[in-house]
Amino acid sequence: MSDTTVIRNARLPRRAGLYQISIEAGMIGAIAPMEALGEASNGLSNSAAEVIDVASDWISLGAVDLQINGALGLAFPDLRLRDLARLQEICHFLWAQGVDGFCPTIVTTSLENIHGSLKAIRAFQRQLPKAKSAQILGVHLEGPFLNEAKRGAHPAEFLQPLTLDTVKAVIGEFADGVSIVTLAPELAAQETVIQWLVQQGITVSLGHSLATAEQAGRAFDQGATMVTHAFNAMPALHHRHPGLLGAALTDSRVLCGFIADGQHICPKMLDVLLRLARGGSSVNSSSANMEGLFLVSDALSPLGLPDGRYPWDDREIEVVNGTARLADGTLSGTTLSLIAGAQNLVAWGLCEAEEAIALVTSAPREAIGLPGLAVGQPAQLLRWHQAGAEITAHRLVS
């Protein structure tokens, strides 16, 4: 491509009409409505620019995955300094899948494993970034401050009490490398725990929890702004006991991550969740803007590998049709990509393409305070094409 590229007739998620995007030296230089551009020049001031007419396809930034446990056979809790080349391979792999950035997720494990992984990720981030490589946006610590009754596949022996001292001990010297901490707020012995995490610039997400609506509300007042894999590892919605999920879905300060592999949440319940986020509107409503949700993959280390049996800490998981379970049948994750989740929502008739694209691109960015598609951003763009109930995505400018 030339140094200047102009993308024309693009649809942009959450914006009406068609747009032209001008790219200079790999950066977005301008975004303008097509109808505002001069007909004579077609809005082009540089005759040497490469022009790409995307014919009403959707254009977005790449996807962002805030909960991903590993890929290509490497689980992020097992990362050590010797694995930096493998981590780079994962970054290239995720980039090729359409992911711009991700939060490597460290599930409940020993303090030694947590610190070993955090040390390796810090060393990796200090290297010069590589081209065509997904960027690490900070670590997601999913535990060890979880309610044992809702620990799911997390090993009970490594759970920790939720006190300020234990939180500081687990995070150690790596606070600047941690982006998200998932915790069960009902375990907090002190109100200062969430506040301290927020002061470090860490997003607090509630999950693996038996919190009541009142306990969740107090945590939101203290600064928690996310929920980890809505519906999973928390009580179901109940007409007398709304619980954590009910509190989150009715609080405009909170964004809920969710998984769309068809196993973690029944598609019928996903329909309920999505309608709530639209203010009660159906998928075909003209009021298309989704509020308060974003997609995650929750993918495990066999992401990118075929179905089969794989080691998982000192246990084994079996992956069948992309779903991973422990030997006792406990659901432990998936091996479907983040973008596959967006594709599922459209294929199941639960989302328009615009909504699904936003759920994996702009919404997760909003959840951790990153800017969306705007002038001055790197032009790492995806082109989405819809044919019936199928959407596909590929890199447009790299």
Side-chain angles (χ1 to χ4, degrees):
M1 291 185 174
S2 69
D3 286 342
T4 302
T5 303
V6 175
I7 299 168
R8 294 176 56 78
N9 294 310
R11 286 192 286 178
L12 307 181
R14 298 179 174 172
R15 302 191 199 189
L18 297 176
Y19 286 80
Q20 176 173 293
I21 304 172
S22 301
I23 299 167
E24 300 280 349
M27 305 295 288
I28 297 174
I31 302 174
M34 292 295 299
E35 62 184 8
L37 301 173
E39 289 295 330
S41 65
N42 288 326
L44 301 179
S45 59
N46 185 348
S47 59
E50 178 181 5
V51 178
I52 303 173
D53 190 329
V54 297
S56 299
D57 280 350
W58 298 94
I59 297 295
S60 74
L61 295 176
V64 167
D65 199 344
L66 300 184
Q67 188 177 0
I68 175 172
N69 304 281
L72 302 179
L74 179 62
F76 293 135
D78 297 334
L79 267 172
R80 297 296 181 269
L81 291 172
R82 63 179 180 272
D83 298 314
L84 299 193
R86 294 182 68 190
L87 182 54
Q88 182 61 68
E89 183 183 2
I90 290 172
C91 290
H92 287 311
F93 168 76
L94 292 175
W95 168 267
Q97 288 195 325
V99 174
D100 277 0
F102 67 104
C103 290
T105 301
I106 302 175
V107 295
T108 302
T109 184
S110 69
L111 192 60
E112 178 185 6
N113 283 346
I114 292 172
H115 287 175
S117 181
L118 288 169
K119 183 177 181 179
I121 291 169
R122 181 173 63 185
F124 181 84
Q125 290 184 289
R126 288 175 174 174
Q127 297 177 348
L128 290 175
K130 304 291 193 303
K132 300 184 179 181
S133 178
Q135 301 301 303
I136 292 177
L137 304 174
V139 168
H140 180 168
L141 288 179
E142 188 184 354
F145 315 108
L146 311 179
N147 192 311
E148 184 172 2
K150 286 295 180 181
R151 64 184 175 85
H154 292 245
E157 63 267 30
F158 296 125
L159 295 176
Q160 296 277 349
L162 184 54
T163 69
L164 190 56
D165 286 343
T166 55
V167 168
K168 289 181 176 180
V170 168
I171 292 177
E173 62 185 84
F174 304 100
D176 60 347
V178 175
S179 180
I180 303 169
V181 170
T182 291
L183 54 81
E186 70 275 18
L187 304 182
Q190 306 144 291
E191 290 190 357
T192 54
V193 171
I194 291 174
Q195 295 166 352
W196 181 84
L197 287 166
V198 172
Q199 289 167 1
Q200 309 312 304
I202 296 171
T203 297
V204 176
S205 187
L206 308 187
H208 289 275
S209 168
L210 286 174
T212 64
E214 292 74 22
Q215 289 169 326
R218 285 196 294 272
F220 298 143
D221 289 341
Q222 293 161 15
T225 56
M226 272 177 51
V227 166
T228 295
H229 46 47
F231 284 106
N232 298 117
M234 63 189 65
L237 285 172
H238 188 279
H239 58 290
R240 293 193 188 95
H241 307 289
L244 165 58
L245 186 56
L249 293 175
T250 54
D251 194 319
S252 61
R253 299 170 295 179
V254 182
L255 285 88
C256 297
F258 71 101
I259 305 163
D261 62 348
Q263 298 295 320
H264 282 77
I265 311 174
C266 170
K268 184 63 70 174
M269 284 305 295
L270 278 177
D271 192 15
V272 172
L273 183 67
L274 296 168
R275 285 173 185 257
L276 283 171
R278 296 188 198 101
S281 301
S282 67
V283 64
N284 295 316
S285 170
S286 59
S287 57
N289 279 0
M290 192 86 69
E291 297 291 341
L293 299 178
F294 61 92
L295 266 169
V296 297
S297 73
D298 197 27
L300 298 181
S301 59
L303 174 65
L305 303 178
D307 285 359
R309 294 180 183 274
Y310 294 94
W312 198 66
D313 54 47
D314 59 351
R315 297 168 288 176
E316 185 179 72
I317 53 173
E318 182 175 13
V319 180
V320 178
N321 295 326
T323 298
R325 296 182 183 274
L326 296 174
D328 64 1
T330 300
L331 184 62
S332 55
T334 182
T335 60
L336 297 183
S337 70
L338 180 62
I339 285 179
Q343 292 168 325
N344 282 342
L345 294 177
V346 176
W348 296 335
L350 303 182
C351 262
E352 299 287 358
E354 176 183 14
E355 293 178 325
I357 294 165
L359 285 170
V360 296
T361 59
S362 56
R365 284 179 165 84
E366 178 187 348
I368 58 171
L370 295 178
L373 184 69
V375 172
Q377 286 280 87
Q380 301 178 140
L381 304 179
L382 294 181
R383 177 177 180 176
W384 302 76
H385 179 73
Q386 182 172 13
E390 180 180 359
I391 57 171
T392 55
H394 68 268
R395 290 283 178 187
L396 184 62
V397 178
S398 58

